[in-house]
Amino acid sequence: MRVAALYDIHGNLPALEAVIEALRQEAVDRVVIGGDVIPGPMSRECVAMLLDLGVATDFIYGNGEIAALAERAGRPSAVPEAHRDVVRWSGQALTPEQADAIARWPRTFTLGIPPLGDVLFCHGTPRDENEIVTRLSRDDRMLETLAGVEAAVVVCGHTHMQFDRTVGGIRVVNAGSVGMPFGAPGAHWLLLGPDVEFRHIPYDLQRAADRIRATAYPKADDFASRNLLRPPSEEQILEAYAKAAGH
């Protein structure tokens, strides 16, 4: 069995199109969507593509889906006020059928993938879609986030940076981000079975930026410039996470 894990698409349809084309060439058996398909500039189009892939597809939600559905329903989300407009816009861009489908996505999903064993897919950590772990997180903190996990492998996302670690006998892998990577530009994803393979796909970033700037997304130019053409480095983001955590 060959399973593709796609995380943190964030409404970047050109990046998703590039990855889907690669999946068809890889002839994967199954796809797991690991949350934060939204918010982003082409949220409705990304959800539509994923709901009609033509291959077995499983979904979990991320913090992005929670916030966008809350804003769509007129409820306050946990998103800072400075970013609430893009979250609200993304939620309102969904069709009623898409919003209903997203509302049914679970927090985690477990799938047996020989010879890896049981693989648990979550967004942030198994216990919290907002929780941040990185390649620099202390082992003792990682163990706290894995309490009660019986799977051999945990696949996460949320931080938009790939890593592969083993803590307490559990292999923890971050799939990276399809649509908003930190580090090298392009689309990042994961292939599972028979082992774990990090994938990175270049695509026409300038054309993608032009398509995104042509949308009605509130911060389209900022998204195109900062997330596609000149994404921040892993070092910058890791330093920011460390400062936010107070160490």
Side-chain angles (χ1 to χ4, degrees):
M1 181 186 292
R2 291 160 61 81
V3 179
L6 312 185
Y7 277 63
D8 295 289
I9 298 163
H10 282 287
N12 184 343
L13 183 64
L16 179 58
E17 290 170 342
V19 172
I20 296 304
E21 176 61 29
L23 298 189
R24 304 210 187 283
Q25 295 176 7
E26 294 273 6
V28 301
D29 302 292
R30 201 176 192 107
V31 177
V32 177
I33 306 301
D36 280 17
V37 176
I38 61 175
M42 304 169 91
S43 291
R44 182 179 62 249
E45 295 86 348
C46 285
V47 174
M49 173 171 279
L50 293 172
L51 291 175
D52 191 30
L53 275 186
V55 63
T57 308
D58 301 283
F59 297 84
I60 61 173
Y61 66 75
N63 57 299
E65 280 81 24
I66 290 177
L69 290 185
E71 293 290 341
R72 175 185 172 87
R75 301 190 306 270
S77 69
V79 175
E81 185 61 40
H83 304 294
R84 201 165 287 173
D85 57 342
V86 299
V87 176
R88 185 179 302 114
W89 184 92
S90 300
Q92 293 172 346
L94 300 171
T95 68
E97 294 77 15
Q98 289 175 339
D100 289 344
I102 292 171
R104 294 192 295 270
W105 294 353
R107 173 184 287 175
T108 65
F109 172 70
T110 300
L111 179 67
I113 306 176
L116 292 170
D118 284 347
V119 179
L120 185 151
F121 297 86
C122 61
H123 185 69
T125 68
R127 66 183 183 181
D128 187 348
E129 63 276 0
N130 287 286
E131 193 165 25
I132 290 173
V133 291
T134 72
R135 60 181 174 84
L136 299 183
S137 297
R138 300 190 316 271
D139 283 0
D140 60 340
R141 183 164 179 275
M142 293 284 288
L143 287 171
E144 289 178 9
T145 71
L146 298 172
V149 172
E150 298 180 355
V153 180
V154 170
V155 177
C156 61
H158 188 48
T159 63
H160 302 201
M161 295 177 288
Q162 294 176 328
F163 67 77
D164 187 351
R165 298 178 56 179
T166 299
V167 183
I170 299 174
R171 189 174 185 181
V172 183
V173 184
N174 190 299
S177 173
V178 170
M180 283 180 61
F182 298 143
H188 301 247
W189 57 285
L190 195 65
L191 184 64
L192 300 134
D195 199 356
V196 174
E197 299 179 37
F198 290 128
R199 295 301 177 91
H200 169 250
I201 299 175
Y203 60 98
D204 191 334
L205 295 173
Q206 187 58 61
R207 183 170 180 272
D210 291 342
R211 289 174 66 186
I212 286 170
R213 288 183 174 121
T215 70
Y217 188 64
K219 292 183 172 66
D221 185 67
D222 186 68
F223 188 100
S225 299
R226 296 191 182 187
N227 297 320
L228 266 69
L229 301 178
R230 295 181 299 277
S233 69
E234 285 197 12
E235 289 72 20
Q236 289 174 301
I237 298 301
L238 289 169
E239 182 179 355
Y241 284 157
K243 287 181 179 178
H247 52 73

